[in-house]
Amino acid sequence: MNRWDAFLATVLVVVGMGLYSPDLGHTLFFDDQFLITDNIYVHEISAENIGKWFTENSFAGGGRTSEYYRPLLIASFAGNYALHGAEPLGYFLFNNALHALTGVIVFLLILTLTRQRWLAFLTALVYVVHPIQSENIAFVS
């Protein structure tokens, strides 16, 4: 990656993080209560809890039953919970950063496939700013 590519990747990160920065002041809501706040399987990373992430539904630690099975999502919640408990800021920062970095990956993938820097940048920019992504970023669970 040359300096120009690094600059464009940085622009994608800044735009991605800036565009969704208003959600940093939000609280956890809806399913976040059962998946994070009340979920005893994310409150401590242990061998037993890791086993539960892969063998039970995602709501089980919160005392609920469902068909919702997302072990990697629960693992990410456990990592977030280990860093800052149920404080919402960390979860929203993680979602925003993950979205911005995914934009960089889109940029690098298109750049590698086409060798056309502006096509890659514009494609990644559309990915980063498109409003269809907003639910994935602004809604923690």
Side-chain angles (χ1 to χ4, degrees):
M1 179 185 296
N2 63 34
R3 285 184 178 183
W4 191 239
D5 296 340
F7 172 74
L8 292 175
T10 303
V11 168
L12 290 169
V13 170
V14 169
V15 169
M17 293 293 289
L19 184 64
Y20 291 102
S21 63
D23 70 0
L24 297 179
H26 290 174
T27 60
L28 298 176
F29 57 97
F30 294 131
D31 292 342
D32 299 338
Q33 177 182 356
F34 308 114
L35 290 168
I36 301 167
T37 310
D38 296 342
N39 192 336
I40 59 174
Y41 300 152
V42 302
H43 294 177
E44 180 184 352
I45 298 175
S46 65
E48 181 181 352
N49 283 346
I50 291 171
K52 301 283 187 184
W53 302 344
F54 290 94
T55 59
E56 295 196 21
N57 74 77
S58 297
F59 288 84
R64 301 231 175 204
T65 355
S66 77
E67 299 297 321
Y68 198 68
Y69 177 75
R70 304 286 188 276
L72 296 179
L73 178 68
I74 298 300
S76 76
F77 290 160
N80 271 318
Y81 197 91
L83 293 173
H84 33 72
E87 181 62 38
L89 177 64
Y91 296 90
F92 287 107
L93 271 175
F94 181 77
N95 279 4
N96 290 5
L98 190 61
H99 177 67
L101 292 175
T102 304
V104 171
I105 291 170
V106 168
F107 170 67
L108 294 173
L109 178 65
I110 301 298
L111 181 63
T112 301
L113 292 173
T114 67
R115 300 282 184 221
Q116 295 189 23
R117 180 175 290 117
W118 290 108
L119 174 65
F121 176 71
L122 291 175
T123 303
L125 187 62
V126 167
Y127 171 81
V128 168
V129 302
H130 199 284
I132 201 166
Q133 304 292 346
S134 61
E135 185 178 334
N136 297 330
I137 299 128
F139 185 47
V140 171
S141 58

